[in-house]
Amino acid sequence: MYQLINGFEFAKEERRKLKEEIDKMEKKPVLAVILVGENPASQIYVRNKEKACEEVGIKSRVYRIKECLQVELLAIIDQLNKDEDVDGILVQLPLPEGMEEQTVIQAIDPNKDVDGFHPVNLGKLMLGLEGPVACTPKGCLKLIKSVKENLTGLNALVIGRSNIVGKPMAQLLLKENCTVTIAHSKTVNLPELCKQADIVVAAVGKPKFVQKEWVKDGAIVIDVGINRLEDGKLCGDVDFENVAEKCFAITPVPKGVGPMTIAMLLENTLYLHKK
Ligand code: GUN
């Protein structure tokens, strides 16, 4: 029987611990969140981040901007960089068409980069130096380590090479002494690669992409995907119903990685506040 990794409960316990620590603080951490445009999924994510901040005692300042020029966004970021009350700055992605993601990310002070997306912080991660680490991969690693403490020597397959998830995830697993493979849309023989993997992190954005036949017996499978099916239901990048029985442990969707991402955002905000 497989172990179901309950990210929802795990995240709840993380938030409880964070709240306990923040309750003792006289000066509360402050997170600035900027949402540009009207992407419905982003609106929900930002609302959830706002609610989570409130729950643990982090002050959130949310900037909801329907429409603006890139220079205007950069000016807001610049102000927040200079504002000594602000510990963390998050610009919700994706940005509206016409804005340059890297220009915007690089405008954020690396010391306030709560997402860990700035090249300085991605560079630190690569070098094994301390710094804010991207929330989703950080949460995934915590979930993996909740079922297996020592990952040394294990084969890990990360499916997806995004800057937000795949690349930092691979670095984190490398730091844990895994033998890491990154697969992507041009990868040849993905099923065979997957069959070798003791740990699979799926972050491709394709519903039920990872098949039962691909998965090694006793693998740990982490599903980062949040896909909406035609019937309105959410499903992950893993064919959970069929894959689960082969696993040592697996995360569900929803209530898997998603809640952990938000918990890690809170943790990163507190981390930057203390620094
Ligand atoms: N869009 C999807 N995931 C994320 C995230 O972790 N941070 C930000 N800023 N935008 C996102």
Side-chain angles (χ1 to χ4, degrees):
M1 188 58 188
Y2 65 89
Q3 219 176 313
L4 185 70
I5 306 175
N6 190 332
F8 181 79
E9 284 300 322
F10 199 100
K12 198 165 149 188
E13 175 59 14
E14 290 287 313
R15 293 198 302 273
R16 191 195 60 74
K17 286 188 223 162
L18 291 169
K19 179 171 169 24
E20 197 173 86
E21 188 173 346
I22 293 165
D23 277 347
K24 291 183 197 136
M25 294 178 147
E26 197 167 326
K27 196 163 181 288
K28 306 299 182 194
V30 176
L31 174 66
V33 178
I34 307 173
L35 171 62
V36 187
E38 297 178 288
N39 181 313
S42 292
Q43 286 173 338
I44 295 169
Y45 294 145
V46 166
R47 180 75 196 113
N48 288 339
K49 288 171 184 181
E50 194 178 15
K51 276 196 280 194
C53 282
E54 190 176 347
E55 184 194 329
V56 302
I58 291 173
K59 286 187 190 163
S60 66
R61 287 199 209 159
V62 183
Y63 299 77
R64 289 183 175 83
I65 305 163
K66 260 192 190 170
E67 221 186 286
C68 72
L69 295 173
Q70 180 167 304
V71 285
E72 293 168 323
L73 174 58
L74 295 177
I76 294 170
I77 293 171
D78 189 48
Q79 268 191 0
L80 294 168
N81 283 340
K82 290 174 182 150
D83 188 334
E84 287 187 2
D85 289 336
V86 173
D87 299 298
I89 303 169
L90 179 152
V91 178
Q92 186 65 28
L93 303 177
L95 287 167
E97 239 174 274
M99 289 205 188
E100 298 152 358
E101 193 171 285
Q102 274 306 313
T103 306
V104 173
I105 288 171
Q106 289 176 33
I108 299 171
D109 179 343
N111 295 309
K112 297 191 176 191
D113 172 30
V114 74
D115 268 320
F117 292 167
H118 193 287
V120 165
N121 291 320
L122 282 168
K124 282 184 174 176
L125 175 64
M126 182 157 242
L127 297 172
L129 303 174
E130 212 213 318
V133 174
C135 304
T136 300
K138 189 176 176 181
C140 289
L141 184 64
K142 284 214 184 191
L143 292 178
I144 295 166
K145 294 192 77 165
S146 75
V147 295
K148 193 163 177 60
E149 183 59 33
N150 184 2
L151 310 181
T152 297
L154 296 181
N155 287 335
L157 175 69
V158 179
I159 312 178
R161 56 174 155 181
S162 70
N163 296 331
I164 293 183
V165 182
K167 287 178 196 167
M169 187 75 242
Q171 284 302 323
L172 287 173
L173 290 164
L174 187 58
K175 218 156 91 180
E176 295 292 325
N177 302 312
C178 291
T179 304
V180 182
T181 305
I182 306 179
H184 47 77
S185 56
K186 302 290 189 292
T187 293
V188 179
N189 277 341
L190 180 57
E192 272 98 307
L193 278 177
C194 196
K195 201 76 197 179
Q196 307 296 315
D198 305 297
I199 300 169
V200 179
V201 179
V204 271
K206 293 183 184 166
K208 304 189 186 185
F209 181 66
V210 175
Q211 303 293 306
K212 174 181 164 185
E213 294 74 27
W214 304 5
V215 176
K216 181 179 177 179
D217 277 320
I220 298 171
V221 175
I222 305 295
D223 192 345
V224 180
I226 305 178
N227 309 291
R228 201 166 287 279
L229 298 175
E230 278 176 16
D231 62 6
K233 281 196 190 133
L234 288 183
C235 91
D237 291 349
V238 177
D239 183 11
F240 182 92
E241 281 76 23
N242 296 306
V243 168
E245 61 192 61
K246 300 196 77 181
C247 297
F248 168 66
I250 184 168
T251 61
V253 177
K255 301 201 171 185
V257 172
M260 278 305 279
T261 295
I262 295 196
M264 294 305 100
L265 171 67
L266 305 173
E267 193 179 288
N268 280 357
T269 306
L270 179 59
Y271 164 76
L272 294 177
H273 178 71
K274 288 200 277 192
K275 240 178 30 147

